[in-house]
């Protein structure tokens, strides 16, 4: 299964194996081994309170393993095969793990969509990947995913199956009707193998037909925040991702007694792997799913479940700090708070230990690979002022100038990286790969960093055309394209503007067509227009400004630097 995948060159793969980074593990076998070693321990706690299930579920490792097998058998019976792509868009519900481990076992590739994605994103993922199936909740957060699925399905000829987690699947198939092979269950329609219900005690596991995925195979497609017109997909292998989990588990101090609270959307790379829910399962610990990130929901859950570690983006960390200072309690069992996804200010970082009584661990990672952590025993000064250093001794990090020449420590430049868990290319994107990777395989992160003598990285800015809205990445070009579809818009430039809470928000500068200049459309109308094109809400511009022309750079390109300065100055003045 190497379609669209840029393999690691053989000499690197050999080196990573020889160094013991790639150990030939797969996700399917990892879960099987944990279930064999401590099957009766709790793997996943889902408190319910979402549309997938109202009540609480507590699944042991044995149960998760069994469920993954039955789900895998049911998916096979419905025609899902090794190599098929399956877009998974679920809230933080236990079924997320049941589905993704089933897909891992079959060798089908989950495509990790976020709950916020809408028609524009999902339609693209389904058509670009030629997805065979799409997994959704029924109605969540007031949005009907079944309708979205119907619309996408009508336009994606390859999409054969829509699975709905929850009670009312509409015209689609109930996810709960898919599992088969266990007692009392039968395989769904279209099944070529329809096993009779087996009487007697439950089998420990059901065999999954077909060749098992290989450790070097692509396990799933993760999403890039991106900086281009359409999102790029990131193929990660079992071997490389599991190495990043093992490294993260060690650096974050996780073991079988750790309890990880999954606050951010489970499919995002940070809560999935840094160390995240998959790292926690790798360590044999317990994952507690948080249906909502507010302190009012999270703190009581932390208290009840004895949560020891969690990960937050900076705006949420600020919210939690403020709540704790107001006297909201329940967080006391927390030992480690990871903060990442966007730059955490030193000022806020310094509050973590005195206010929450736990160790802050900054994490600067990317779905493409490289993850940096401050170490738990780093001096407080490094913990609060840096974004950490790489997981692996074999993570190669270069800080370079505009001509790719290496810069000395302390100088700010472009971060390039290559290593045992960083991709060598986006999935099926040869043109992008030529820009995003150097000839010798370094990934151009688009981040501007400086390196301290201790080897820690400090994120100083960004060269990529992206807005980091409190950890949610917005590719300027993608939004500009949607704005350009409006009849009044002649040209569009989307830039970041400073925001005390999110760090950055988006501002769309627009040049109108002459016939619209006298009676320009209202800002809200343009926002509504963009939203109406079926875009995730966080990508709708926060502010719209009209100008007659854009400032230009020396060679005549739109100067986004000047636009950013202009909006920052006008915010300052008001
Ligand atoms: P993505 O490529 O979508 O996975 O997003 C990864 C990007 O998020 C990085 O390249 C950085 O731009 C940003 N990022 C992640 N963590 C941090 C952090 N701790 N500080 C600053 N930026 C971060
Ligand atoms: O922002 C990210 O993508 C990110 C942040 C922290 C990430 O992918 C990660 C840790 O693994």
């Amino acid at each position: 299964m190497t379609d669209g995948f840029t393999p690691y060159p053989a000499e690197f793969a050999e080196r990573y194996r020889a160094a013991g980074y790639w150990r030939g593990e797969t996700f399917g076998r990892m879960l099987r081994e944990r279930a064999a070693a401590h099957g009766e321990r709790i793997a996943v706690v889902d408190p319910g309170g979402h549309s997938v299930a109202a009540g609480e579920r507590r699944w042991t490792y044995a149960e998760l393993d069994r469920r993954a097998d039955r789900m895998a058998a049911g998916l096979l019976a419905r025609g899902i095969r090794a190599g098929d792509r399956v877009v998974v868009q679920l809230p933080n519900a236990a079924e997320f793990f049941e589905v993704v481990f089933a897909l891992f076992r079959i060798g089908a590739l989950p495509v990790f969509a976020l709950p916020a994605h809408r028609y524009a994103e999902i339609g693209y993922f389904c058509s670009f990947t030629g997805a065979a199936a799409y997994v959704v909740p029924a109605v969540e957060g007031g949005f009907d995913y079944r309708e979205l699925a119907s619309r996408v399905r009508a336009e994606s000829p390859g999409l054969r199956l829509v699975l709905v987690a929850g009670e009312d699947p509409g015209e689609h198939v109930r996810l709960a009707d898919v599992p088969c092979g266990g007692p009392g269950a039968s395989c769904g329609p279209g099944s070529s193998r329809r096993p009779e219900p087996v009487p007697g005690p439950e089998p420990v596991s059901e065999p999954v037909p077909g060749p098992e995925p290989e450790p070097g195979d692509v396990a799933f497609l993760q999403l890039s925040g991106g900086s281009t017109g359409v999102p790029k997909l990131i193929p990660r292998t079992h071997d490389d991702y599991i190495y990043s989990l093992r490294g993260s588990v060690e650096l974050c101090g996780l073991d079988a007694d750790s309890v990880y609270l999954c606050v951010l959307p489970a499919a995002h790379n940070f809560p999935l792997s840094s160390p995240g829910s998959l790292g926690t399962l790798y360590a044999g610990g317990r994952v507690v799913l948080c249906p909502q990130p507010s302190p009012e929901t999270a703190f009581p859950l932390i208290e009840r479940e004895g949560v020891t570690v969690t990960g937050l983006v900076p705006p949420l960390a600020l919210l939690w700090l403020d709540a704790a200072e107001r006297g909201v309690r329940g967080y006391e069992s927390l030992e480690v708070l990871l903060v990442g996804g966007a730059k955490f200010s030193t000022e806020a970082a310094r509050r973590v230990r005195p206010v929450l009584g736990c160790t802050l661990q900054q994490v600067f990672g990317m779905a493409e690979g490289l993850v940096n952590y401050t170490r738990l025993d780093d001096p407080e000064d490094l913990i609060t002022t840096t974004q950490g250093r790489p997981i692996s001794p074999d993570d190669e990090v270069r800080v370079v100038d505009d001509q790719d020449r290496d810069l000395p420590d302390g100088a700010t430049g472009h971060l390039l990286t290559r290593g045992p868990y960083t991709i060598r290319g986006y999935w099926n994107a040869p043109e992008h790969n030529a820009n995003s990777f150097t000839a010798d395989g370094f990934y151009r992160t688009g981040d501007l960093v400086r390196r301290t003598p201790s080897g820690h990285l400090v994120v100083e800015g960004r060269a990529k055309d992206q807005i980091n809205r409190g950890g949610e990445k917005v590719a300027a070009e993608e939004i500009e394209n949607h704005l350009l579809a409006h009849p009044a818009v002649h040209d569009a430039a989307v830039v970041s503007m400073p925001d005390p809470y999110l760090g950055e928000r988006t501002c769309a500068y627009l040049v109108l067509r002459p016939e619209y200049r006298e009676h320009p459309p209202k800002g809200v109308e343009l926002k509504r227009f963009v939203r109406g094109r079926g875009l995730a809400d966080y990508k709708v511009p926060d502010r719209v400004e009209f100008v007659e022309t854009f400032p230009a750079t020396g060679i005549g390109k739109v100067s986004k630097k000047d636009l950013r300065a202009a909006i920052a100055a006008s915010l300052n003045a008001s």
Side-chain angles (χ1 to χ4, degrees):
M1 227 306 295
T2 54
D3 281 359
F5 170 62
T6 310
Y8 292 86
E11 66 273 25
F12 284 87
E14 269 161 41
R15 193 163 103 208
Y16 298 153
R17 271 187 217 103
Y21 305 141
W22 295 359
R23 296 189 183 166
E25 297 166 282
T26 63
F27 283 104
R29 288 206 295 270
M30 163 192 136
L31 177 59
R32 185 83 79 228
E33 284 167 18
R34 299 299 173 277
H38 38 66
E40 292 321 304
R41 293 182 69 114
I42 300 289
V44 179
V45 177
D46 176 347
H50 44 65
S51 72
V52 178
E56 180 190 271
R57 275 95 44 87
R58 308 177 82 81
W59 291 352
T60 63
Y61 276 90
E63 174 153 20
L64 178 58
D65 185 47
R66 209 151 47 216
R67 280 177 174 271
D69 273 339
R70 288 201 200 131
M71 185 61 79
L75 290 169
L76 281 165
R78 288 177 189 265
I80 302 302
R81 293 288 175 268
D84 281 351
R85 276 76 59 200
V86 175
V87 177
V88 178
Q89 188 182 29
L90 288 173
N92 287 1
E95 282 76 3
F96 174 78
F97 298 101
E98 182 179 12
V99 168
V100 302
F101 276 102
L103 294 171
F104 290 154
R105 287 222 163 126
I106 294 173
L109 313 184
V111 180
F112 286 127
L114 298 174
H117 288 141
R118 293 293 178 259
Y119 171 72
E121 292 91 3
I122 300 294
Y124 175 74
F125 300 149
C126 288
S127 65
F128 182 67
T129 69
Y134 174 32
V135 188
V136 290
V139 176
E140 188 65 40
F143 181 76
D144 194 332
Y145 290 84
R146 297 165 303 188
E147 279 176 17
L148 170 59
S150 299
R151 182 169 174 205
V152 169
R153 189 173 184 182
E155 294 162 16
S156 315
L159 194 61
R160 304 191 292 273
L161 185 62
V162 172
L163 299 173
V164 178
E167 276 318 301
D168 179 6
E171 60 169 328
H172 311 296
V173 175
R174 224 165 64 108
L175 181 70
D177 290 337
V178 173
C180 72
S186 64
C187 283
S191 167
S192 50
R193 31 191 297 285
R194 208 179 275 259
E196 289 298 315
V198 192
E202 294 196 8
V204 174
S205 64
E206 288 289 321
V208 172
E212 257 196 62
E214 297 287 332
D217 285 348
V218 175
F220 55 83
L221 298 176
Q222 187 52 277
L223 308 182
S224 163
S227 53
T228 47
V230 290
K232 288 166 290 190
L233 295 163
I234 297 167
R236 299 291 299 262
T237 65
H238 295 265
D239 250 345
D240 94 73
Y241 209 67
I242 290 177
Y243 170 48
S244 84
L245 297 183
R246 194 183 326 114
S248 297
V249 161
E250 194 186 319
L251 294 176
C252 304
L254 261 61
D255 60 26
D257 294 323
S258 299
V259 183
Y260 177 82
L261 187 70
C262 181
V263 176
L264 300 169
H268 188 277
N269 200 61
F270 174 17
L272 194 63
S273 69
S274 298
S277 49
L278 292 183
T280 303
L281 296 176
Y282 187 86
R286 180 180 298 190
V287 176
V288 177
L289 293 165
C290 196
Q292 256 216 46
S294 71
E296 289 68 30
T297 302
F299 286 10
L301 207 50
I302 294 175
E303 182 161 37
R304 199 182 79 201
E305 299 293 334
V307 169
T308 58
V309 50
T310 189
L312 299 176
V313 289
L316 286 177
L318 289 174
L319 203 65
W320 285 30
L321 285 166
D322 290 349
E325 279 180 339
R326 283 199 317 272
V328 186
R329 292 285 172 261
Y331 55 80
E332 288 82 354
S333 59
L334 267 185
E335 293 164 10
V336 176
L337 173 65
L338 289 123
V339 179
K343 176 100 176 233
F344 197 37
S345 75
T346 298
E347 196 187 332
R350 289 206 176 107
R351 291 167 62 200
V352 171
R353 192 186 290 282
V355 174
L356 292 170
C358 62
T359 303
L360 167 67
Q361 187 164 33
Q362 296 213 41
V363 50
F364 162 40
M366 49 206 78
E368 288 83 353
L370 181 70
V371 181
N372 304 275
Y373 292 105
T374 55
R375 303 310 196 244
L376 297 177
D377 59 359
D378 272 344
E380 193 70 11
D381 185 46
L382 282 176
I383 291 179
T384 54
T385 62
T386 79
Q387 280 65 59
R389 59 187 171 86
I391 292 177
S392 177
D394 274 290
D395 278 321
E396 300 172 71
V397 162
R398 293 179 61 198
V399 181
V400 301
D401 67 12
D402 289 343
Q403 278 74 48
D404 284 355
R405 288 175 304 217
D406 290 287
L407 293 170
D409 281 356
T412 297
H414 303 276
L415 169 64
L416 311 184
T417 187
R418 186 169 76 170
Y421 58 97
T422 296
I423 56 164
R424 293 298 187 122
Y426 289 105
W427 194 72
N428 268 328
E431 342 60 57
H432 291 311
N433 289 341
N435 297 325
S436 300
F437 295 83
T438 64
D440 54 354
F442 279 80
Y443 168 54
R444 297 184 187 277
T445 66
D447 293 312
L448 297 174
V449 304
R450 122 181 106 78
R451 188 165 32 195
T452 67
S454 59
H456 289 63
L457 300 177
V458 179
V459 179
E460 295 286 11
R462 201 181 314 120
K464 54 190 165 192
D465 201 1
Q466 182 188 76
I467 295 90
N468 190 335
R469 203 173 170 279
E472 292 183 308
K473 321 298 190 305
V474 181
E477 187 184 339
E478 185 182 345
I479 315 312
E480 288 158 8
N481 286 340
H482 286 286
L483 287 163
L484 285 167
H486 191 281
V489 176
H490 169 70
D491 206 355
V494 173
V495 297
S496 67
M497 56 183 185
D499 181 79
Y501 175 59
L502 291 181
E504 297 172 17
R505 286 186 197 263
T506 51
C507 177
Y509 274 99
L510 302 177
V511 176
L512 293 175
R513 291 182 193 280
E515 61 272 30
Y516 285 87
R517 285 186 193 161
E518 216 151 294
H519 303 288
K522 291 214 159 49
V524 285
E525 194 181 316
L526 284 147
K527 292 185 199 180
R528 204 178 310 127
F529 173 79
V530 171
R531 190 174 286 113
R533 290 177 58 87
L535 219 59
D537 219 40
Y538 67 86
K539 296 183 186 172
V540 175
D542 292 295
R543 187 178 173 121
V544 176
E545 293 281 320
F546 300 107
V547 288
E548 270 175 30
T549 55
F550 291 140
T553 64
I555 52 163
K557 291 204 297 184
V558 175
S559 173
K560 291 203 164 177
K561 192 172 154 210
D562 287 337
L563 289 174
R564 280 193 295 269
I567 187 65
S570 106
L571 289 174
N572 246 340
S574 65

